[in-house]
Amino acid sequence: MTNWKEIDQNVRAWIKEAGSKIRDSFQTELNIKTKSNRNDLVTNMDEATERLFIEKIRTTYKDHKIMGEEGFGDELLDLDGVTWILDPIDGTMNFVHQQRNFAISIGVYEDSVGVLGYIYDVVHDELYHAHRGHGAYMNDVKLPDLNEVEVEDSVIALNAQWVTSNRRIDPKILSPLVQKVRGTRSYGSAAIEMAYIAAGRLDAYLSMRLAPWDFAAGKILIEEVGGIVTDLDGNELDPLNKSSLFVAKPRLHQTIMTDYLKR
Ligand code: 2AM
Ligand code: CA
């Protein structure tokens, strides 16, 4: 039997340790490299933080598997058993340019089902965490179930690039939605955006392409407060592969799906 309480205590201690190291790194010069393109950034802190978690997980839980964004984990073909899905710094561009609005994001899955989810807003020292079936919290404060909201009263998160010409979606699809809602926001970290959905600060969030480590933790948090987590077609997410993402309060999810996305 997996001892989830013990895993939970360990993850929280490891997250606090990693967060403190990341905050300390603001005093020293970062080593910044690019990955797939000039806007796809990675720093020595992304890599060091991933290595810190992997070393701790490997020492403590020898039979667990790890999927990490920076590639120091395992090559996974399935999510059988216990798998850690890890983004050491989600929102690296924010980390580099703004020193805020980035997060450590960790989802612990068992046989493809999310059990423990953590999003740590390092600069604000806010840990959003959830244990499937046991509620979601921001630090020690329990997050209430989400309230419904009408489209015209909603604040939604999306990146402005999805309403200009881009490779992934016809901008004509989302522009009526952007015109209808009360406001749009873009924080530049999928994990922060999902934590804000769970905390009721945002009503919906859409993204055309995210990786499992971007949404693994957020999915657990949002579902724990009654939110809906799917891809843009309304299908269940596959935590092993990249996909689009659409998360929202339940009725709002349905309305946006039928009135805006399926037209
Ligand atoms: P990252 O900072 O960990 O790379 C906004 O850029 C959000 O989308 C961030 O959460 C970022 O995660 C993620 N992201 C950016 N480019 C991506 C890509 N090509 N595939 C998947 N996720 C991406
Ligand atoms: Ca990252």
Side-chain angles (χ1 to χ4, degrees):
M1 274 285 283
T2 311
N3 186 344
W4 293 106
K5 272 232 153 70
E6 184 210 80
I7 297 177
D8 176 55
Q9 283 168 356
N10 281 331
V11 192
R12 288 187 207 212
W14 299 344
I15 285 176
K16 291 291 165 128
E17 181 183 334
S20 162
K21 289 192 165 140
I22 292 172
R23 282 189 298 269
D24 289 346
S25 79
F26 291 152
Q27 312 304 326
T28 58
E29 199 175 335
L30 276 179
N31 177 353
I32 304 161
K33 294 178 285 190
T34 58
K35 293 194 280 188
S36 59
N37 63 65
R38 100 174 255 135
N39 301 326
D40 185 7
L41 308 178
V42 62
T43 74
N44 53 312
M45 285 312 293
D46 297 67
E47 295 177 349
T49 305
E50 179 158 317
R51 286 187 195 279
L52 180 149
F53 281 107
I54 288 182
E55 192 196 302
K56 290 184 187 291
I57 298 163
R58 294 239 190 271
T59 311
T60 319
Y61 302 108
K62 296 193 181 350
D63 57 336
H64 291 187
K65 301 191 289 194
I66 306 169
M67 184 198 299
E69 174 170 16
E70 307 314 336
F72 304 126
D74 304 308
E75 289 279 342
L76 297 186
L77 298 174
D78 59 60
L79 292 177
D80 295 348
V82 177
T83 307
W84 296 63
I85 306 180
L86 170 66
D87 191 344
I89 298 183
D90 183 67
T92 300
M93 197 189 290
N94 290 347
F95 173 61
V96 169
H97 285 260
Q98 307 182 321
Q99 294 81 49
R100 67 197 66 207
N101 286 326
F102 61 89
I104 296 171
S105 178
I106 298 177
V108 191
Y109 280 60
E110 185 177 46
D111 299 335
S112 298
V113 178
V115 180
L116 297 173
Y118 305 84
I119 294 174
Y120 184 47
D121 180 338
V122 173
V123 170
H124 295 111
D125 192 25
E126 289 179 344
L127 178 61
Y128 300 83
H129 55 105
H131 182 175
R132 185 182 162 84
H134 296 81
Y137 293 79
M138 195 278 277
N139 291 336
D140 297 330
V141 181
K142 190 166 199 295
L143 299 175
D145 281 353
L146 299 179
N147 288 325
E148 288 296 351
V149 63
E150 302 302 323
V151 177
E152 49 269 48
D153 300 323
S154 68
V155 179
I156 68 166
L158 86 176
N159 190 315
Q161 76 186 99
W162 309 129
V163 284
T164 67
S165 46
N166 70 83
R167 284 197 298 137
R168 303 212 181 267
I169 188 169
D170 180 348
K172 288 199 207 74
I173 294 175
L174 292 178
S175 85
L177 177 64
V178 169
Q179 285 174 326
K180 182 84 169 178
V181 296
R182 178 169 285 168
T184 55
R185 297 290 182 269
S186 183
Y187 295 96
S189 155
I192 296 268
E193 276 148 325
M194 292 183 86
Y196 283 9
I197 295 276
R201 298 181 196 145
L202 288 170
D203 302 305
Y205 169 52
L206 302 95
S207 182
M208 295 317 118
R209 190 162 167 85
L210 292 177
W213 44 81
D214 299 320
F215 61 70
K219 174 176 159 59
I220 301 166
L221 274 151
I222 292 171
E223 289 181 343
E224 206 48 37
V225 291
I228 307 294
V229 181
T230 66
D231 66 13
L232 253 283
D233 299 316
N235 297 320
E236 175 131 8
L237 291 185
D238 172 3
L240 199 54
N241 288 298
K242 291 194 175 188
S243 81
S244 60
L245 179 78
F246 173 32
V247 297
K249 297 173 169 178
R251 195 157 47 79
L252 186 65
H253 190 282
Q254 194 170 14
T255 307
I256 293 176
M257 201 74 222
T258 48
D259 293 356
Y260 295 90
L261 298 176
K262 283 197 175 147
R263 287 199 297 197

